Amino acid sequence: MTSETTPATGTTTPHTFQVDLRGLVDLLSHHLYSSPKVYLRELLQNAVDAITARRAEQPDAPARVRLYAEDGGLRIEDSGIGLTETDVHSLLATIGRSSKREGLESARAEFLGQFGIGLLACFVVAAEIRVVSRSARTPDAPPVQWSARDDGSYTVRTLPDSARPEPGTTVYLTARPGSGDWLTEQRVIALARDFGSLLPYDVRVGETAVGDLPAPWDRTYPGPAARRVALARHCHELFGFTPLDSVDLDLPVAGVRGVAYMLPSSVSPAQRSGHRVHLKGMLLTDRADELLPDWAFFVRCVIDTDSLRPTASRESLYADETLAAVREALGDRIREWLTGLAAGDPERLEQFLSVHHLGVKSLARHDTEMLRTMLPWLPFETTDGRLSLEEFAQRHPVVHFARTVEEYRQVAPIASAQGIGLINGGYTYDTELVERLPHVRPGTVVAELDADTVTAHLDAVDPAEELALAGFLAAARAKLDPLGCDVVLRAFHPLTVPALHLDDRAARHEQARADEEAQADDLWAGILGSLRGSAPRARLVLNHLNPLIRRISSLDGELAGTATEALYGQALLMAQRPLRPADSALLNRAFMGLLEWATHDQENGR
């Protein structure tokens, strides 16, 4: 509101804001609401609220909502509280005011709508709205008609009693150009079923019933198997998939009833599931990704609640303490289901974990009891095959793990041959869980297996034999020194592995710094040079037990260097390490060099 001051008297004259209804409708359709379909939810919501208001005063009042698609428009009738002419001027013509605030504050919790937007949302699809209503509170008041257009104009007039003999309200919509499809009978039936299938009143589109009560999770079935089949069918109808399993979500204290469906295939933790939330029977949203904890990304839920609050658009949930409490309670219910499977149905648990172990691992990171419960079940990649942490710890007094997939691939064959048990901790959450193992399994020793540890487990070569190969080793070290790699000689199994490339994170970090320094300008190179660390470099471990290494070590000259480069490249490929440009160039050079040497010998008749 603005005001002006009159110079002579100093008094102020109040003025009223002018509302551009066309602009407001554009704001609603393009910014507040996700789709024009919400018009039908607003119509149903107003009708249901009107019936709720009447039943608060007249418990035996009828509870009917009827929708009719006719003549390119839509008519919706309800047996609700109705309006007088005063109500129409006060409520329908004043944007932002809600009938729920007028004299029914004590019953407010029973209403779906609380923001007074109401019929205004119908202008998203309608060029004209006509409301005919008769009040149940004031039976002697005549029916009243309110007609409004999307240009912001409206008229109000009283009607004869015959226009509306019974209390209630009828709303007529005339479609906007290009919006007629939203008012067809087929579309109205689909929208009414989507929004109102759980409404507690008799709602019909023509002769077609909309309601589907009781809800599938509240119905009585012949037995558990029949119930499971029925819920699976319900899930397929709602979400388009047949679930692995279903979990009842019955939280009377939080005013929540529903069911959680387990996805039949694995999904990324970054993928947020859209849950369906009904508020007192009316669908609020089918994209409530904040309903469950982040770790429960393998679940899709449908619930009905009377405790959660909607946002102004009534298309999402208001983030408050109630939502946080419901989220935690629903997470606890899924935890209980997992614990129950571990105790009583291990086959179903194994089937579930074969698909969704990542979600349970995410939960177990922060839930000590869940980690303890799942120790015998959660699978990990190890040098002994795919095992649980419990079984692996029983086999090995020290639980070694590699922090990345690359490190695991480097050392797994050698560790296995040396009798060292190794877990691949490179997958999501696995390292965190392995490091927490001593907390849930007292006495367990956990150690990271790095390049130094692996090298220490390899057998040293007799000093005399190593001395005899000093010339070859010196030439090999000189060849690989520009690549930041040392050469060492050891004896290890399996004999089929001629060379092993080992490094660790510190070595890779130092190599990356050195590569950047080589390509940088003088100033940046000086800065990078000052960051040079004393970390160990990567190393190429030659297997003295391998026959090929014994033959190569007898070579000298350029051929020995070419063979060393070939061994280095082969070891990188075996470790499945990404190749730097220098590594790729080395592989090409070694390959061509060996081809030239082989063809040169054939040309000389050797």
Side-chain angles (χ1 to χ4, degrees):
M1 177 178 289
T2 61
S3 62
E4 294 179 354
T5 301
T6 305
T9 63
T11 60
T12 59
T13 302
H15 298 275
T16 303
F17 283 111
Q18 300 299 310
V19 177
D20 179 0
L21 188 58
R22 289 185 186 274
L24 191 56
V25 169
D26 181 73
L27 179 68
L28 289 173
S29 59
H30 291 96
H31 299 283
L32 184 62
Y33 294 128
S34 62
S35 166
K37 70 180 183 180
V38 297
Y39 88 90
L40 192 67
R41 183 194 62 199
E42 294 295 337
L43 286 174
L44 286 176
Q45 187 165 283
N46 286 342
V48 169
D49 285 345
I51 294 172
T52 302
R54 184 176 180 184
R55 285 202 155 186
E57 301 179 5
Q58 304 172 17
D60 296 332
R64 297 187 305 271
V65 180
R66 298 290 184 267
L67 297 96
Y68 303 95
E70 52 190 17
D71 300 328
L74 182 68
R75 170 167 56 97
I76 177 170
E77 302 175 352
D78 69 65
S79 58
I81 193 70
L83 301 171
T84 64
E85 183 176 356
T86 301
D87 294 332
V88 166
H89 282 290
S90 175
L91 302 175
L92 297 186
T94 304
I95 296 172
R97 180 172 296 179
S98 170
S99 63
K100 272 74 79 174
R101 300 172 186 155
E102 306 296 328
L104 287 171
E105 197 66 32
S106 62
R108 182 171 181 172
E110 299 301 318
F111 294 110
L112 300 174
Q114 298 183 16
F115 297 95
I117 296 175
L119 289 175
L120 189 61
C122 294
F123 280 118
V124 172
V125 298
E128 182 178 356
I129 301 173
R130 183 162 59 94
V131 178
V132 176
S133 188
R134 183 163 194 160
S135 175
R137 286 182 183 150
T138 313
D140 296 336
V144 61
Q145 175 178 284
W146 176 84
S147 300
R149 300 190 59 83
D150 60 0
D151 61 4
S153 62
Y154 74 93
T155 59
V156 178
R157 66 187 181 95
T158 58
L159 301 176
D161 288 348
S162 59
R164 178 84 199 191
E166 299 296 328
T169 300
T170 302
V171 179
Y172 302 85
L173 301 185
T174 302
R176 294 167 61 93
S179 298
D181 287 346
W182 290 104
L183 304 182
T184 62
E185 184 175 30
Q186 184 177 1
R187 179 67 68 90
V188 171
I189 290 174
L191 292 178
R193 283 176 170 168
D194 194 38
F195 285 120
S197 62
L198 299 185
L199 289 174
Y201 302 138
D202 180 15
V203 181
R204 297 176 182 270
V205 180
E207 299 300 322
T208 303
V210 169
D212 191 23
L213 292 177
W217 51 85
D218 285 331
R219 296 172 190 168
T220 300
Y221 298 97
R227 187 174 193 276
R228 190 176 297 116
V229 170
L231 289 179
R233 185 184 308 114
H234 175 248
C235 176
H236 196 276
E237 292 171 355
L238 282 186
F239 299 120
F241 66 85
T242 301
L244 283 177
D245 209 341
S246 58
V247 181
D248 283 323
L249 303 176
D250 186 6
L251 306 172
V253 175
V256 172
R257 285 283 296 152
V259 62
Y261 294 117
M262 305 299 159
L263 291 167
S265 56
S266 59
V267 293
S268 166
Q271 180 176 330
R272 305 291 293 180
S273 296
H275 308 292
R276 290 178 64 92
V277 176
H278 295 256
L279 181 60
K280 303 179 183 71
M282 181 76 74
L283 178 67
L284 179 69
T285 178
D286 57 4
R287 299 187 302 273
D289 59 4
E290 69 275 38
L291 184 65
L292 291 182
D294 290 342
W295 55 262
F297 52 83
F298 50 85
V299 176
R300 295 286 294 276
C301 290
V302 53
I303 66 166
D304 187 23
T305 176
D306 57 16
S307 63
L308 299 179
R309 293 173 55 196
T311 58
S313 68
R314 292 194 283 276
E315 292 190 283
S316 58
L317 296 171
Y318 188 78
D320 57 9
E321 292 182 356
T322 302
L323 177 58
V326 168
R327 183 188 302 117
E328 183 176 353
L330 293 177
D332 287 343
R333 183 65 193 89
I334 297 173
R335 284 188 183 90
E336 292 170 4
W337 172 76
L338 287 168
T339 303
L341 288 186
D345 199 340
E347 290 186 2
R348 284 174 66 196
L349 179 61
E350 285 193 77
Q351 180 186 13
F352 171 79
L353 290 178
S354 67
V355 179
H356 294 304
H357 58 271
L358 198 59
V360 180
K361 286 181 177 180
S362 176
L363 167 60
R365 289 183 303 155
H366 308 295
D367 189 324
T368 301
E369 285 305 314
M370 182 56 63
L371 177 57
R372 182 177 290 110
T373 300
M374 291 295 155
L375 273 184
W377 307 105
L378 286 176
F380 288 77
E381 182 181 350
T382 80
T383 49
D384 293 349
R386 199 163 180 81
L387 299 177
S388 69
L389 284 181
E390 178 66 30
E391 187 174 356
F392 187 85
Q394 290 175 355
R395 294 186 182 188
H396 300 279
V398 178
V399 177
H400 288 98
F401 71 95
R403 196 171 291 274
T404 68
V405 174
E406 290 80 8
E407 292 173 359
Y408 177 81
R409 288 171 177 169
Q410 283 181 20
V411 302
I414 308 304
S416 179
Q418 304 300 315
I420 302 172
L422 182 65
I423 294 176
N424 185 354
Y427 296 114
T428 307
Y429 312 131
D430 284 7
T431 288
E432 295 177 71
L433 296 178
V434 173
E435 290 180 325
R436 285 177 51 81
L437 190 54
H439 297 286
V440 295
R441 197 176 187 276
T444 303
V445 179
V446 173
E448 182 175 355
L449 190 66
D450 55 20
D452 287 334
T453 305
V454 174
T455 305
H457 278 81
L458 303 181
D459 295 334
V461 178
D462 181 87
E465 295 186 32
E466 186 167 1
L467 182 60
L469 301 177
F472 167 74
L473 293 175
R477 288 168 184 147
K479 199 70 174 178
L480 298 185
D481 183 69
L483 297 172
C485 183
D486 291 331
V487 178
V488 296
L489 187 66
R490 293 289 187 273
F492 57 87
H493 292 273
L495 301 179
T496 54
V497 177
L500 181 66
H501 181 271
L502 295 177
D503 63 4
D504 53 23
R505 287 181 304 283
R508 288 195 293 274
H509 175 76
E510 175 61 20
Q511 183 60 53
R513 185 208 59 76
D515 291 343
E516 288 290 334
E517 181 180 358
Q519 300 175 15
D521 56 34
D522 292 341
L523 175 60
W524 187 235
I527 295 174
L528 290 171
S530 67
L531 299 176
R532 182 180 295 111
S534 58
R537 303 204 303 170
R539 70 205 69 176
L540 182 67
V541 184
L542 302 179
N543 187 359
H544 188 56
L545 300 180
N546 181 270
L548 178 61
I549 294 298
R550 289 180 176 273
R551 290 197 296 270
I552 290 176
S553 63
S554 64
L555 300 174
D556 55 15
E558 188 63 27
L559 182 56
T562 301
T564 300
E565 289 180 332
L567 287 171
Y568 172 82
Q570 189 264 353
L572 283 179
L573 294 175
M574 289 294 294
Q576 302 184 45
R577 292 293 310 279
L579 300 180
R580 300 170 296 166
D583 298 329
S584 298
L586 175 144
L587 273 173
N588 290 331
R589 185 170 62 249
F591 178 72
M592 296 304 297
L594 291 175
L595 281 180
E596 288 179 3
W597 178 80
T599 56
H600 176 74
D601 282 350
Q602 287 183 348
E603 289 175 356
N604 291 332
R606 296 177 57 186

